[in-house]
Amino acid sequence: MLSNYLKIAWRNLWKHKLFSIINIFGLAAGMTVCLLALIPVKDAFDYDKFHPYPDRTYRILTDVEQKESGKTSVATSPLPLGAALEAQYGFVEKTARIYYGLGNEVTTDAKSFFVNGAFVDASFFDLFGFRFIMGQPAVAPRTVVISDRTAERFFGTASPLGKVLTLKNQGMFTITGVLATKTHKSHLKFDLLASMATVPLLEQSQQISPQLKSWRSYWDASSFTYVLLREGTPRRALDGALQVLAKQGNEALGPQTDQTYALRSQVLSHISPALEQLRKSTWEPTIGSVLAPAALALVILLMAGFNYVNLTLARSLSRAREVGIRKVAGAQRRQIVGQFLTESVILGLFALGLSFIFLTLMDNPLIRRMNDGVEPDLTLWACFLGFALLTGILAGLAPARILSSYQPANVLRGRFGEGMFRGMGLRKGLMVAQFAVSLVFMVFVTVMYQQFRYMATASYGFDRENSLNIPVSPQNYRLVAEAFNQLAGVERVGATMQPLGFHADYLNISPDRFQNSIPANAHFTEANYVQNMGLKLVAGQTLPLSVSDSAGRFVLLNEKAVTALRFKSPQEAVGQLLWLSDSSEVQVAGVLQDFNYQNLAHPLNPLLLQYKPSEFHYLNVKVSPHRKTAVVAELEKAWQQLYPREPFTYEWTDETLYNHYFHLEDLSGLGLIVAIALSVACLGLLGMVSYSTETRTKEVGIRKVMGATVAQIVLLLSSGFVRLLLIAGVIALPLGYLAGEMFLHEFAHRIALGVTGPLLCFVVMLLIGGLTVGWLTFRAANEDPAKSLRTE
């Protein structure tokens, strides 16, 4: 039976080659996007599969009940919890704590590196399967293991064992080992893991806040607890223990606490993808992040499926007699359904093969990131094959049910009736839906392009030309600045915490010792940097040119800060005393004209600029515009004389801003998806127009004999399809406009959407669809009527 199905299916597909090709290409295009989305979905479920005991290792979560804001679930848990579990419950084999309290700035002779570090118990290396490339776990105080990426970043190919890292405000740590992290997908990410035995020393010397014995550290610190149960221990035993310990923890908080909490377990193998939103979470992908691209891909695949339904129903007249004859010969409805499903499954398998070819030909950074670190194992191939089979079945199900319902008596008598064409409205509706979805996508991506280009090229209110930023450490920036200032072509060298246009620190400012404080942003810099960036003073003077710490007493405000502090004018603010979050007293030296000092997605807030050398991590070098290439070579030479073992790295200010905000490669990837969606819709239109002109060949011949012109025939054949495109535009333009407005609403500084962009997208869609219709109808109108009427 199956062999007969396959033979008949192959003959039908071969007989109607054009429709088969259109269906295969349409399904392949939609399937390509779906396979791209399926890869990260499968990858999300592969997290933490390399650990030795994933099914009996649990992370402890905390459900916090606050008096004012209600219930909040966090991924953290109290630091004393692990020791209490091991001490009081024999079914607990081991516990491991991860405390992200390690300093995030590592200083070398030449530069400062920002890292992600944590303190861990020695048992961490038993519960988790991170493999040691070299060395051994960090057990003793002030020892640390580093990731393979960190080893390459800091030491290149040299062995890091025994080397010393200096962490800001926390002292020196000796490296004892290197862990392999590149090949592992885990919800835990780190550059450094220091021994938990270091924490009591740092707390005693007040280098970190005391959290180790706090039952509130789930809220005040980023601390995670993992529990390994003994074999055969049911999960309910752990949950019961957590209820008891949560009661003890609440009692330890005291009666004056503003919150209470409960503890619950989460098995390690089910952490990724995250099915709930947790505050203070780790790095596992959320179910929303993997389902959102999958939903987009499924929409495109549905459009390809619509093509199959449309074309199959359009050919229902020619297949109706086949169905009637087979039913008279004794075929049952389920057999006819099986025949049509076999055809659709074969199309799905052909489309799968073609989609693999499309995937290999695609070379886009967005697509490469989607596939980053994913190994094509047997499970992934099985998912692809199962997906192709499911696609074929779902695409063919509706046509199979409709075609198999025909009554043989009516079909063989030629009485098709109105019921035979009840799918006409459905086919038109599907075609309108295809082009409407394509147009919404097109408008949305166009709005994204315009917004990101605006963010990359807008005037931020500072001079972004002819200056480059060089990472340095706070300890050596003066030495490097002096060397650079002596070079020809260097106009000025200024130090700053980070380049403008990205982020800023936070603090509170008060004009009366915190009776009326305001939240503000802070940027630590010096006078030369203010001049390099061309920041304009509206009152007072700039920061003093000084290398002494006393210069930090003077600050600059922007106009927003002047207004928020309720000074009547910028001139009145000059000379006023202010108090900062760290209880230090400063004096306003001047007021700057407002400028965009951070991401344009954020609103313009009060800003304070202060001289603070301990936070200087970049030098900004203003160069002569006519000597840019030569100056870079001289800067590199001067750097190598100071630090021959450290590579010279730099970024131009304007290029950094442009590349940070205008992700042309990502937008081109989204544009490719839009092109695929539009191509799928056009393929469906191509098939429908082709079938329509084929069935009306004799009508066209008669009209030409009766004197109809080519233009009249083209208008007759194409008007109905163009009308469908116009309906799609009427539906999609408001939806696309609304989607664009919702996207722009996320940005404080945004473009004015207007109607020009959406209308241009509609014109492009109408032009592409019109050319598709016009080309086929023009060919049909130019056919020799003698050929079409020869059989009459």
Side-chain angles (χ1 to χ4, degrees):
M1 180 67 71
L2 181 59
S3 62
N4 289 333
Y5 285 168
L6 294 174
K7 288 179 183 178
I8 297 172
W10 174 254
R11 289 169 183 168
N12 275 305
L13 295 177
W14 185 256
K15 180 181 178 181
H16 304 283
K17 299 182 185 66
L18 176 61
F19 294 106
S20 299
I21 291 173
I22 289 175
N23 279 325
I24 290 172
F25 269 85
L27 286 174
M31 204 175 289
T32 300
V33 181
C34 273
L35 294 184
L36 283 171
L38 188 62
I39 291 173
V41 171
K42 186 258 181 189
D43 182 50
F45 286 92
D46 284 344
Y47 269 55
D48 297 301
K49 300 299 184 185
F50 63 97
H51 301 305
Y53 319 107
D55 294 327
R56 56 189 181 100
T57 303
Y58 295 85
R59 179 173 70 173
I60 309 303
L61 308 180
T62 308
D63 294 322
V64 184
E65 190 72 34
Q66 294 177 287
K67 294 179 180 179
E68 295 182 358
S69 57
K71 182 180 177 181
T72 303
S73 295
V74 296
T76 51
S77 52
L79 279 167
L81 178 63
L85 279 168
E86 283 196 69
Q88 299 179 32
Y89 298 96
F91 56 79
V92 174
E93 184 173 330
K94 287 182 180 180
T95 64
R97 296 169 298 173
I98 303 174
Y99 174 24
Y100 284 93
L102 192 64
N104 64 352
E105 184 179 337
V106 176
T107 302
T108 64
D109 291 337
K111 301 177 183 177
S112 293
F113 296 92
F114 290 93
V115 295
N116 177 30
F119 299 102
V120 296
D121 291 315
S123 54
F124 171 90
F125 304 100
D126 299 323
L127 265 66
F128 297 97
F130 295 102
R131 180 177 56 85
F132 273 91
I133 298 176
M134 62 178 72
Q136 58 189 6
V139 178
R142 293 202 171 275
T143 58
V144 65
V145 297
I146 62 177
S147 69
D148 44 8
R149 289 187 175 91
T150 306
E152 293 176 5
R153 181 183 175 193
F154 285 6
F155 305 103
T157 57
S159 172
L161 297 183
K163 300 290 181 62
V164 175
L165 297 177
T166 303
L167 273 71
K168 183 179 179 181
N169 300 328
Q170 292 181 1
M172 295 183 293
F173 290 76
T174 303
I175 299 173
T176 63
V178 179
L179 289 175
T181 60
K182 292 181 181 179
T183 58
H184 296 316
K185 291 284 184 180
S186 176
H187 71 289
L188 296 173
K189 294 189 183 299
F190 54 84
D191 300 312
L192 313 174
L193 292 178
S195 169
M196 189 69 74
T198 314
V199 176
L201 304 178
L202 297 177
E203 289 184 350
Q204 186 177 0
S205 60
Q206 297 183 347
Q207 290 175 293
I208 60 175
S209 60
Q211 300 288 347
L212 203 57
K213 297 181 180 180
S214 170
W215 283 91
R216 189 187 160 93
S217 52
Y218 63 87
W219 194 260
D220 299 331
S222 294
S223 56
F224 303 85
T225 304
Y226 294 82
V227 180
L228 176 64
L229 299 182
R230 298 191 186 278
E231 289 190 31
T233 303
R235 181 175 178 176
R236 61 179 179 272
L238 175 60
D239 291 336
L242 292 176
Q243 291 182 12
V244 175
L245 292 175
K247 184 177 180 181
Q248 296 178 14
N250 285 316
E251 292 174 354
L253 293 181
Q256 303 301 320
T257 182
D258 60 343
Q259 57 185 227
T260 58
Y261 62 86
L263 302 171
R264 57 188 168 98
S265 61
Q266 181 184 36
V267 66
L268 181 62
S269 58
H270 291 170
I271 289 179
S272 176
L275 301 180
E276 63 175 315
Q277 291 290 336
L278 297 172
R279 288 188 60 183
K280 296 178 174 289
S281 185
T282 42
W283 288 267
E284 63 272 13
T286 63
I287 192 68
S289 67
V290 297
L291 290 184
L296 172 63
L298 284 176
V299 169
I300 296 177
L301 186 62
L302 279 175
M303 294 170 59
F306 291 168
N307 282 351
Y308 184 84
V309 174
N310 262 341
L311 297 180
T312 305
L313 291 179
R315 289 171 49 214
S316 61
L317 188 63
S318 61
R319 300 297 297 269
R321 290 186 176 86
E322 174 193 342
V323 172
I325 293 172
R326 294 186 66 181
K327 281 193 171 185
V328 169
Q332 299 179 8
R333 184 177 182 182
R334 60 181 177 80
Q335 293 173 317
I336 297 174
V337 170
Q339 176 62 59
F340 287 113
L341 288 181
T342 302
E343 293 181 19
S344 64
V345 167
I346 291 176
L347 280 173
L349 293 175
F350 276 124
L352 178 65
L354 187 59
S355 67
F356 283 148
I357 297 175
F358 288 164
L359 284 175
T360 57
L361 295 178
M362 286 181 177
D363 185 23
N364 182 273
L366 178 63
I367 294 172
R368 286 198 298 269
R369 281 202 300 277
M370 291 175 69
N371 302 337
D372 183 37
V374 179
E375 295 296 330
D377 55 14
L378 184 61
T379 304
L380 185 61
W381 292 114
C383 289
F384 285 176
L385 181 60
F387 182 75
L389 294 174
L390 182 63
T391 300
I393 292 173
L394 293 178
L397 192 59
R401 290 181 59 84
I402 293 173
L403 294 176
S404 65
S405 67
Y406 291 165
Q407 296 299 319
N410 292 331
V411 170
L412 297 179
R413 288 175 184 173
R415 297 177 182 175
F416 298 99
E418 293 299 325
M420 298 295 293
F421 298 95
R422 63 181 179 269
M424 185 65 73
L426 173 64
R427 297 201 299 274
K428 291 181 179 179
L430 293 179
M431 186 172 295
V432 169
Q434 285 179 311
F435 279 97
V437 170
S438 300
L439 184 55
V440 170
F441 284 170
M442 193 185 304
V443 171
F444 186 74
V445 173
T446 301
V447 173
M448 288 180 63
Y449 175 89
Q450 293 174 331
Q451 175 63 22
F452 289 142
R453 183 170 180 83
Y454 164 74
M455 293 175 68
T457 58
S459 174
Y460 279 69
F462 57 82
D463 185 4
R464 53 195 284 179
E465 302 293 331
N466 304 318
S467 68
L468 51 86
N469 301 301
I470 302 167
V472 293
S473 70
Q475 289 74 23
N476 77 330
Y477 83 92
R478 288 194 181 100
L479 177 65
V480 179
E482 290 175 1
F484 287 172
N485 268 318
Q486 298 174 11
L487 301 177
V490 173
E491 296 180 358
R492 199 165 34 256
V493 179
T496 184
M497 60 178 287
Q498 63 183 1
L500 291 175
F502 299 99
H503 305 287
D505 277 4
Y506 299 92
L507 48 67
N508 287 321
I509 308 174
S510 172
D512 48 8
R513 292 188 182 274
F514 296 102
Q515 295 299 314
N516 296 289
S517 64
I518 64 165
N521 291 122
H523 200 89
F524 304 116
T525 184
E526 63 169 4
N528 282 342
Y529 187 73
V530 174
Q531 192 172 353
N532 280 0
M533 293 293 99
L535 303 182
K536 298 177 181 178
L537 281 166
V538 295
Q541 57 188 2
T542 189
L543 296 172
L545 284 169
S546 172
V547 297
S548 67
D549 292 339
S550 61
R553 184 173 179 271
F554 297 96
V555 298
L556 299 177
L557 302 179
N558 67 350
E559 293 171 301
K560 278 279 185 181
V562 171
T563 303
L565 290 168
R566 299 182 180 180
F567 293 121
K568 295 180 180 179
S569 66
Q571 289 74 17
E572 181 187 357
V574 175
Q576 297 289 339
L577 298 179
L578 302 175
W579 283 263
L580 308 183
S581 302
D582 59 1
S583 300
S584 61
E585 184 185 58
V586 295
Q587 185 176 7
V588 179
V591 177
L592 295 170
Q593 187 179 81
D594 284 338
F595 64 96
N596 290 303
Y597 54 88
Q598 59 182 353
N599 194 318
L600 290 183
H602 303 303
L604 191 61
N605 294 320
L607 174 68
L608 177 144
L609 271 66
Q610 184 182 20
Y611 176 81
K612 196 171 184 180
S614 62
E615 299 294 336
F616 290 166
H617 297 288
Y618 285 89
L619 284 181
N620 179 267
V621 181
K622 191 74 170 180
V623 301
S624 171
H626 306 294
R627 291 179 50 85
K628 292 174 68 173
T629 304
V631 168
V632 170
E634 291 297 320
L635 290 171
E636 183 173 8
K637 184 178 178 181
W639 177 274
Q640 293 298 331
Q641 289 177 350
L642 293 173
Y643 305 104
R645 296 183 180 180
E646 291 282 349
F648 176 70
T649 56
Y650 69 94
E651 290 181 332
W652 292 100
T653 302
D654 55 346
E655 291 180 2
T656 303
L657 278 172
Y658 187 88
N659 295 331
H660 182 77
Y661 293 111
F662 190 59
H663 306 289
L664 182 59
E665 296 172 334
D666 290 353
L667 289 171
S668 66
L670 293 174
L672 178 62
I673 293 175
V674 172
I676 290 175
L678 188 58
S679 300
V680 169
C682 287
L683 281 172
L685 181 62
L686 177 67
M688 290 297 295
V689 175
S690 177
Y691 186 78
S692 176
T693 54
E694 180 183 327
T695 56
R696 301 177 72 178
T697 301
K698 291 182 175 59
E699 176 191 347
V700 170
I702 293 172
R703 288 180 179 276
K704 291 194 72 173
V705 169
M706 298 299 294
T709 64
V710 172
Q712 290 172 327
I713 293 174
V714 169
L715 181 62
L716 172 71
L717 296 177
S718 61
S719 59
F721 295 104
V722 173
R723 193 178 300 116
L724 294 179
L725 295 178
L726 292 173
I727 293 173
V730 171
I731 295 172
L733 281 176
L735 294 177
Y737 192 92
L738 179 62
E741 281 289 357
M742 291 175 64
F743 171 74
L744 293 176
H745 186 70
E746 299 296 319
F747 300 89
H749 305 271
R750 52 184 180 264
I751 60 169
L753 181 54
V755 297
T756 305
L759 285 177
L760 183 61
C761 293
F762 173 62
V763 170
V764 170
M765 185 204 72
L766 194 62
L767 181 63
I768 294 174
L771 289 175
T772 303
V773 174
W775 172 61
L776 288 174
T777 53
F778 182 77
R779 283 183 56 190
N782 277 288
E783 288 288 336
D784 186 354
K787 294 181 180 179
S788 59
L789 299 176
R790 187 175 299 162
T791 57
E792 291 296 312

